[in-house]
Amino acid sequence: MGVQKFGSFLSGMIMPIIPALIAWGIITAVIVNVNEFTEGTAATDAFGEIIGPMIHFLLPILIAVQGGKMIYDVRGAVVGATATFGVIIGSDFLIAQANAALPEGADELGQIHMFIGAMIMGPLAAWVIKRLDALWEGKVKAGFEMLVNMFSAGITAFLMSVVGFFALAPIVNALMDVLGAAVRFLVDTGLLPLTSIIIEPAKVFFLNNAINHGVLTPLGISEAAAEGKSILFLLEANPGPGFGVLMAFTVFGVGAARATAPGAALIQFAGGIHEVYFPYVLMKPALLLAVIGGGATGVATNALFDSGLRAPAAPGSIFAVLIQTASDSYLGVTLSVILSAAVSFTIAAFILLASRKRDLQAEDSFSDAVARTEAAKGKSSAALAGLAAQAVSGEAAGRINSIIFACDAGMGSSAMGASVLRKKIKDAGIEGVTVTNKAVAALPGDTDLVITQQQLTDRARGQEPEAIHVSVESFMDAPEYDEVVELVRSRAEVGSAQPAAVGAGAAAPAASEPSGSATGGILTLDRVRIHSGSATRDEAMAEAAAALEAAGAVTGDYLAAMHEREETVSTFMGNELAIPHGTNEAKGAIKASALSVARYDDGVDWGGQRATFVVGIAGVGDEHLQILSRIARLFGDKATVQRLKEATSEEELLELLSAVDEG
């Protein structure tokens, strides 16, 4: 899991700058072709000067900006980017010194582009300024905050650039020399195809990002800058191996896997979303042989034809691969995709045929494989969620009468999600379906469908092994809700001959769908705040906990329980709403039901998501669920959220929060 998180972090720095890499690749290709087929002009020659500074300065700095922002928002981005210049200039200084010491006539060393240096220095410098800010937080006299903030960041950026110049640049230069020598050894000895033994299984378990973005992309960019192309961009991005496996399932698979494989193949090959083929491999680990064989075939073909890409192909779609293919590499790249798909198809076909009889008699495990893939990824995926929805739709039809939203405490987020889905089901004209919420530990064991956030799905499966499980990223605006509604509708139509378990009124339990709009003492004006600026997540949580404590609803221990809840599962709900609250074990810190609402006009970075509204929750029994149900209705509509953002006073905001049509 640590490697997956590290790889995801590296991917988070690289993926946002891929458009800049694509632009650099296009500019390089245009200038090369102009110079190759025409004499060029002074203007094109001058424009061509953009290539070097882009690869050497712009792209590493963009990486540093993104890495710093991931650690400490814009402040971290500025400090991280500034410090990274020290690493770049330090590397250039070392290269210049080495070239000056070479004997006359010897080949000089080329520049080392500081992609790895930026991946290290950007987050590191941001982390340093974040820690320093924490040291004097709340200790600066009023009126001196801006002065301290500006000079502390500037001094930190200066000091970290010195560290980059003298300490980090030599380390990164040495590391790039070692990695470059290792790649040259593999190429010269013809062993490069063996990298598929590591890369292809790593992809299936989402371990590849550390290899791809931490090693292959920086080395590939350096090689492409010098040679105009790199084979390294194709080690992981080739869509052939996954496509071959999916086509084998299309022809020789059984059950839900066979039914979903054609659609998955289109998404993977044309859309470049490789993760959709991972569940098929996880169903039968022997299929790792198929993707390894296909991957090695593709690498060997590209090595034989000396083919490569000008820049990374992201996502790994056949279209992205062909767009980035160097002008002299179309034959090799095209053959590598075709042959790798053919080899993986052949191996997968043998494996599927060998176990076909057993598969036909066994219970279809495709849904479990999708769930394991989602768990390995560590976060939700629209592509995998769609695959899961197709899988459960293809299983034996049975009417869905009960749906439970489950969260860690059953206190707030699940109640709001239940309210949103309940309304969608009602609007769809579906009757006889109860939608309630509970803590995961309180699931009864006989539910038809359970909805949880990704991190809690495995726990929910242990409580409800026979239920259909749907994982969502946020409870307010999850796209999976529409798929659930369609699944419930289709099951209702298939099972229409069966008597409904409950009447239409059961879709709206009294505890969650009260009538009227008065907020009573649960949410009062003194616990509604509007802030013109922003805050950190910790600051917003502290304000919410303080408001609840001042209302006599919680003890001083409740803030720690809020932090514990965030470490387990984020309370960001979607549509700019976060609802921090304690864990199920924190019930002892709650004395009464109460809510607090704070609006931060410049937003709160809530684990990478922007929250404008922060609703603190403390709940005893079901009292607070009445207002949460109304708030869920409000935040389920983006137009209403906009009106809440435009409220000019706490009184107006409270009125909007209270006046919800429950009809």
Side-chain angles (χ1 to χ4, degrees):
M1 184 61 70
V3 177
Q4 291 168 340
K5 289 183 178 179
F6 177 64
S8 295
F9 185 79
L10 293 179
S11 178
M13 283 191 281
I14 293 293
M15 292 304 291
I17 74 151
I18 290 295
L21 277 167
I22 292 173
W24 173 79
I26 293 173
I27 292 170
T28 303
V30 170
I31 296 300
V32 168
N33 287 330
V34 167
N35 291 337
E36 182 177 353
F37 297 108
T38 70
E39 295 183 1
T41 65
T44 56
D45 290 341
F47 182 71
E49 295 297 322
I50 196 176
I51 296 173
M54 280 186 72
I55 193 70
H56 195 60
F57 293 105
L58 175 64
L59 296 176
I61 295 303
L62 287 176
I63 291 174
V65 167
Q66 184 63 24
K69 186 176 180 181
M70 292 168 67
I71 296 295
Y72 198 31
D73 203 27
V74 175
R75 189 167 169 82
V78 171
V79 174
T82 306
T84 298
F85 266 98
V87 188
I88 297 172
I89 301 305
S91 173
D92 290 347
F93 174 71
L94 293 172
I95 295 295
Q97 280 192 317
N99 286 334
L102 291 174
E104 188 174 351
D107 292 335
E108 292 189 348
L109 301 176
Q111 288 179 318
I112 293 178
H113 305 303
M114 280 291 107
F115 285 79
I116 291 181
M119 290 183 206
I120 298 172
M121 182 52 77
L124 175 61
W127 179 84
V128 170
I129 186 61
K130 184 177 183 179
R131 297 278 73 81
L132 291 175
D133 282 353
L135 291 178
W136 48 70
E137 184 177 2
K139 300 176 183 178
V140 180
K141 290 186 177 181
F144 290 87
E145 295 92 346
M146 181 176 293
L147 180 68
V148 172
N149 285 341
M150 293 300 180
F151 274 88
S152 62
I155 293 171
T156 302
F158 160 69
L159 293 175
M160 291 304 295
S161 66
V162 172
V163 171
F165 186 96
F166 288 103
L168 186 56
I171 295 173
V172 176
N173 276 14
L175 178 61
M176 292 294 288
D177 286 341
V178 171
L179 294 174
V183 170
R184 286 192 296 273
F185 170 77
L186 293 174
V187 173
D188 293 342
T189 57
L191 297 177
L192 195 61
L194 295 182
T195 57
S196 295
I197 296 175
I198 298 174
I199 291 173
E200 293 300 334
K203 286 174 67 175
V204 174
F205 293 102
F206 292 96
L207 301 173
N208 60 306
N209 281 331
I211 300 171
N212 189 33
H213 297 305
V215 178
L216 298 180
T217 296
L219 289 175
I221 291 171
S222 295
E223 184 179 359
E227 306 294 335
K229 62 184 178 182
S230 176
I231 191 176
L232 301 180
F233 295 137
L234 286 161
L235 298 188
E236 192 261 355
N238 185 350
F243 183 71
V245 168
L246 292 171
M247 293 312 297
F249 269 97
T250 300
V251 179
F252 302 109
V254 299
R258 180 177 184 176
T260 56
L266 179 63
I267 293 172
Q268 186 263 348
F269 194 69
I273 310 300
H274 287 214
E275 64 194 45
V276 296
Y277 80 80
F278 300 169
Y280 300 84
V281 177
L282 287 177
M283 279 184 67
K284 291 183 176 297
L287 290 174
L288 286 170
L289 297 174
V291 291
I292 290 172
T297 300
V299 175
T301 303
N302 283 313
L304 180 63
F305 284 85
D306 189 27
S307 51
L309 305 185
R310 290 187 297 263
S317 158
I318 184 61
F319 301 114
V321 168
L322 292 176
I323 288 171
Q324 294 290 12
T325 298
S327 56
D328 62 350
S329 299
Y330 283 103
L331 177 60
V333 169
T334 303
L335 282 176
S336 73
V337 175
I338 294 172
L339 293 178
S340 62
V343 169
S344 65
F345 173 85
T346 302
I347 297 174
F350 275 113
I351 294 171
L352 293 176
L353 287 172
S355 61
R356 184 173 177 80
K357 183 176 180 180
R358 183 170 64 252
D359 292 342
L360 288 169
Q361 296 173 347
E363 182 180 350
D364 197 338
S365 59
F366 182 65
S367 294
D368 289 337
V370 175
R372 291 199 302 274
T373 304
E374 289 182 314
K377 180 166 181 147
K379 59 183 179 180
S380 64
S381 161
L384 291 174
L387 207 58
Q390 293 179 51
V392 297
S393 296
E395 294 170 357
R399 186 182 179 91
I400 294 175
N401 295 316
S402 61
I403 300 174
I404 292 181
F405 277 73
C407 66
D408 186 62
M411 188 184 302
S413 51
S414 58
M416 298 181 78
S419 181
V420 172
L421 182 61
R422 188 181 298 119
K423 185 176 187 303
K424 284 181 174 289
I425 289 177
K426 181 179 179 181
D427 291 345
I430 302 172
E431 298 182 349
V433 179
T434 60
V435 183
T436 57
N437 67 286
K438 291 183 181 293
V440 171
L443 288 169
D446 59 356
T447 311
D448 296 325
L449 190 149
V450 177
I451 301 176
T452 54
Q453 287 171 293
Q454 174 64 53
Q455 299 93 323
L456 298 176
T457 301
D458 287 342
R459 285 174 54 190
R461 285 182 182 279
Q463 295 287 112
E464 295 276 3
E466 301 301 321
I468 298 170
H469 288 264
V470 176
S471 301
V472 298
E473 184 171 2
S474 61
F475 279 130
M476 286 302 303
D477 57 353
E480 292 83 4
Y481 290 168
D482 292 333
E483 296 167 359
V484 169
V485 170
E486 287 306 311
L487 177 61
V488 172
R489 187 203 305 277
S490 64
R491 293 292 186 90
E493 291 172 352
V494 171
S496 58
Q498 304 173 10
V502 291
S512 295
E513 294 293 344
S515 59
S517 62
T519 60
I522 305 297
L523 177 62
T524 55
L525 183 60
D526 60 304
R527 295 194 296 278
V528 179
R529 291 286 182 269
I530 295 177
H531 301 287
S532 59
S534 63
T536 66
R537 184 179 66 178
D538 289 351
E539 290 169 344
M541 290 170 61
E543 180 178 8
L548 296 174
E549 186 177 0
V554 300
T555 68
D557 297 329
Y558 195 61
L559 178 59
M562 280 183 168
H563 282 286
E564 184 179 347
R565 175 68 164 81
E566 291 298 329
E567 291 174 3
T568 305
V569 183
S570 173
T571 56
F572 181 77
M573 301 293 293
N575 283 358
E576 303 188 50
L577 171 67
I579 56 167
H581 55 276
T583 61
N584 197 43
E585 290 73 21
K587 293 290 187 181
I590 302 174
K591 299 188 292 184
S593 294
L595 299 179
S596 68
V597 176
R599 190 184 80 193
Y600 299 89
D601 291 343
D602 286 344
V604 179
D605 183 351
W606 209 276
Q609 304 283 351
R610 176 189 169 91
T612 301
F613 295 89
V614 178
V615 177
I617 302 172
V620 175
D622 293 335
E623 295 174 285
H624 67 296
L625 299 183
Q626 300 179 5
I627 298 178
L628 282 179
S629 175
R630 298 187 180 97
I631 292 176
R633 290 177 179 273
L634 285 172
F635 282 88
D637 178 26
K638 292 185 177 180
T640 305
V641 173
Q642 185 60 38
R643 288 199 295 273
L644 292 172
K645 292 169 67 175
E646 294 170 354
T648 57
S649 66
E650 281 88 355
E651 291 82 359
E652 182 182 356
L653 182 57
L654 178 61
E655 182 179 353
L656 289 171
L657 289 169
S658 303
V660 184
D661 180 12
E662 292 294 333

